[in-house]
Amino acid sequence: MLLLSVGLTALLVGLQQIPAWGAASAATVVSFVVAAVALAALVRVEARRSAPLLHLSMLRRPPLLAACIGTAVNTLFLIGFLYFFNLYALSPDTLDYSAVRASLALLPYGVCVFAVSMAIGPLCDRVGYRWPVAAGTALCGAGALWLAGVDADSGYGAVWPASLVLGAGVGITLSAPSAAGLRALDSAFSGEAAGIINVVRYVTAALVVSAGTLVFLGEGAARLGAVLRGAGVAEPGTHTTDQLLSGAAQPGGQAAGPAVREAFHRATAAGLAEGFSSVMLWLGVLALAAIPAWLMLMPGRSRSADGDAASG
């Protein structure tokens, strides 16, 4: 338990702090080294115990691996879309929504997630989990690729239809992948398997925010700088650019003239849209790439609760 706690804590801290510390900083490197050493020691200790906390053989079971992949994809969008949409929506240079209005803008997405997640269980009981989850993952990818078309001139009307597609995919994959993995395993290992799946969810949540922020800031800063250069305005420093893209600074500053402020407004809007669309593009690609892995690892029909197998 100690090795597991130290290893996961160090891993999550390292992932979450990459945007602030930098990928090559001493603190980041130390976090990952501690995580690697602790988790490697965990594997060595558990492999030699007769009653381990973590049965390493479970990690070789295809249905559990499939459940982890499906859960990871779901978390990419459950966390990633909400986080980066709010950066795009709350900025005064794009949608300029208040916190309440941004929440209302996400309501169709949330309702779709809830409704589909309630309906998918009975369907999977009849036809199995393999193809419904594959379809849900495909919807996640399609919704994300649709959102990747957002630009500086896009309004909410360009976002909400794609968010419904994404919401349907997230709803399908919310609990179905984990349910499929657990039903395909012996009930004696269900608690341990559920713990593994939850760890995958937590690590993926940290990873999508960390890696997504690097993509958001990198692509957004490049686009912001290009628009400013085209307008003949000097580019700001890295710190100011990050503040502009996070909504913490006003374009051009209060003392700048109207032309400079307008240039910064257009550039910041373009940078925010580019950052958001780039993150959605990569998430969409990852979702579509996960479909073959899910289909390969998950059997046609998960084992039923009483242990009888049925063909999907």
Side-chain angles (χ1 to χ4, degrees):
M1 290 180 64
L2 178 62
L3 290 171
L4 183 63
S5 299
V6 171
L8 290 180
T9 299
L11 177 62
L12 292 174
V13 168
L15 290 174
Q16 289 177 335
Q17 292 301 116
I18 285 177
W21 292 346
S25 69
T28 301
V29 171
V30 168
S31 294
F32 287 136
V33 168
V34 170
V37 170
L39 294 176
L42 172 70
V43 171
R44 182 175 178 82
V45 168
E46 295 294 78
R48 301 173 65 179
R49 294 180 64 87
S50 59
L53 176 69
L54 173 64
H55 290 82
L56 299 176
S57 61
M58 294 187 63
L59 300 178
R60 297 193 296 269
R61 300 191 180 187
L64 180 58
L65 294 177
C68 290
I69 290 172
T71 299
V73 170
N74 175 264
T75 306
L76 289 178
F77 296 100
L78 191 64
I79 303 298
F81 172 65
L82 297 180
Y83 183 82
F84 293 103
F85 172 77
N86 277 297
L87 290 178
Y88 174 77
L90 295 173
S91 172
D93 301 293
T94 47
L95 298 184
D96 194 21
Y97 284 177
S98 65
V100 173
R101 192 175 181 186
S103 299
L104 292 175
L106 288 168
L107 191 58
Y109 165 81
V111 170
C112 192
V113 171
F114 176 77
V116 174
S117 66
M118 294 294 291
I120 194 63
L123 175 64
C124 289
D125 287 338
R126 291 195 298 271
V127 304
Y129 291 90
R130 189 169 186 251
W131 290 108
V133 172
T137 305
L139 287 173
C140 286
L145 293 180
W146 190 346
L147 288 168
V150 168
D151 59 29
D153 298 321
S154 299
Y156 180 62
V159 174
W160 75 264
S163 75
L164 293 181
V165 176
L166 184 58
V170 171
I172 293 173
T173 58
L174 186 63
S175 60
S178 58
L182 294 178
R183 294 183 68 176
L185 298 173
D186 191 290
S187 59
F189 297 100
S190 59
E192 187 175 342
I196 293 172
I197 293 170
N198 281 331
V199 166
V200 169
R201 186 179 296 278
Y202 300 145
V203 172
T204 305
L207 182 60
V208 69
V209 172
S210 176
T213 297
L214 294 177
V215 172
F216 184 89
L217 292 178
E219 297 298 324
R223 180 62 176 159
L224 185 149
V227 173
L228 287 178
R229 289 193 301 272
V233 177
E235 297 179 51
T238 301
H239 179 68
T240 301
T241 298
D242 289 352
Q243 287 188 315
L244 287 169
L245 293 175
S246 65
Q250 293 296 318
Q254 296 296 331
V260 173
R261 288 201 298 271
E262 178 60 24
F264 267 90
H265 169 73
R266 293 197 308 271
T268 302
L272 284 161
E274 184 71 20
F276 176 69
S277 63
S278 296
V279 172
M280 292 299 105
L281 173 63
W282 280 109
L283 294 185
V285 170
L286 288 174
L288 296 180
I291 296 175
W294 165 267
L295 292 174
M296 180 178 65
L297 293 169
M298 181 55 63
R301 182 75 181 266
S302 295
R303 189 185 305 171
S304 65
D306 62 3
D308 295 330
S311 60

